[in-house]
Amino acid sequence: MNREILFIQGGGGSADHEADAKLVHSLREALGASYRVHYPLLPNESAPDFGRKNQIGRALSRLQGRIILVAHSLGASMLLKYLSESEVDQEITGIFLLATPFWSGKEDWKQALKLQEDFADKLPEQVPVFLYYCRDDAEIPYDHLLRYRQRLPRATVRELARGGHQFNEDLSLVAADIKTL
């Protein structure tokens, strides 16, 4: 029986989907045939959150059984938003977040992306959370990881010296962690 993984892309549209497809390919290769990785295209919509909460909900509703969630960049922050603000019927067995931005500030465009102050308390209990960050990420500043570390003290944090925002297109470390579940 295959284990189900939902991978949520960073950014939006086909260009970001294509860029993250290399991450998905690496994950599939490292996990092998006993895992099925679902990778839906999430286009930017005109909604303030780019439509991500609804898109993530629809993608999750198509899966059954125990589900592992993996998300990159904007997708990771929106996955946290979805999980902390929505009713989730599926059994989530692990949450793996890569290069996750922590939205803050008073700009209007950021308001729909920001997490609620108590978001960590609303995540599924007993579900392991993993945070991955490359120190040479030129897109997501290191202090974003530090904020998540403070808010999610139970999370396992994996800091890599190199890999940039796209983790050198190598998610073998993520796959190794997934296999521990």
Side-chain angles (χ1 to χ4, degrees), residues 13-121:
S14 58
D16 291 310
H17 189 263
E18 187 175 316
D20 281 0
K22 296 171 184 174
L23 296 174
V24 172
H25 176 75
S26 169
L27 187 62
R28 284 182 175 138
E29 290 290 313
L31 288 172
S34 59
Y35 292 84
R36 185 168 38 209
V37 181
H38 301 270
Y39 184 45
L41 171 63
L42 303 180
N44 281 342
E45 296 177 6
S46 61
D49 70 351
F50 308 110
R52 286 302 181 275
K53 280 180 61 181
N54 288 334
Q55 292 169 347
I56 291 169
R58 283 192 302 271
L60 261 175
S61 72
R62 293 183 187 114
L63 303 177
Q64 296 179 351
R66 301 172 71 209
I67 301 167
I68 297 165
L69 300 171
V70 181
H72 179 239
S73 195
L74 172 69
S77 64
M78 295 312 296
L79 177 61
L80 281 174
K81 187 165 183 64
Y82 176 82
L83 293 173
S84 64
E85 296 178 9
S86 304
E87 180 96 16
V88 179
D89 295 327
Q90 291 81 0
E91 181 182 355
I92 308 299
T93 60
I95 302 168
F96 298 82
L97 307 168
L98 306 122
T100 311
F102 191 96
W103 300 102
S104 62
K106 297 190 186 294
E107 297 92 333
D108 285 343
W109 69 270
K110 290 182 181 178
Q111 300 315 302
L113 305 176
K114 290 169 61 172
L115 294 166
Q116 295 175 356
E117 192 64 35
D118 62 346
F119 81 93
D121 298 332

Side-chain angles (χ1 to χ4, degrees), residues 119-160:
F119 81 93
D121 298 332
K122 296 179 180 181
L123 294 177
E125 290 186 32
Q126 309 305 322
V127 175
V129 176
F130 290 77
L131 300 169
Y132 301 86
Y133 182 81
C134 296
R135 285 210 171 242
D136 64 345
D137 188 329
E139 293 186 41
I140 307 300
Y142 182 68
D143 71 308
H144 290 224
L145 175 65
L146 297 178
R147 291 180 196 175
Y148 281 116
R149 270 190 148 150
Q150 290 174 337
R151 301 278 174 79
L152 297 169
R154 67 180 174 98
T156 300
V157 177
R158 306 278 192 231
E159 285 186 58
L160 304 162

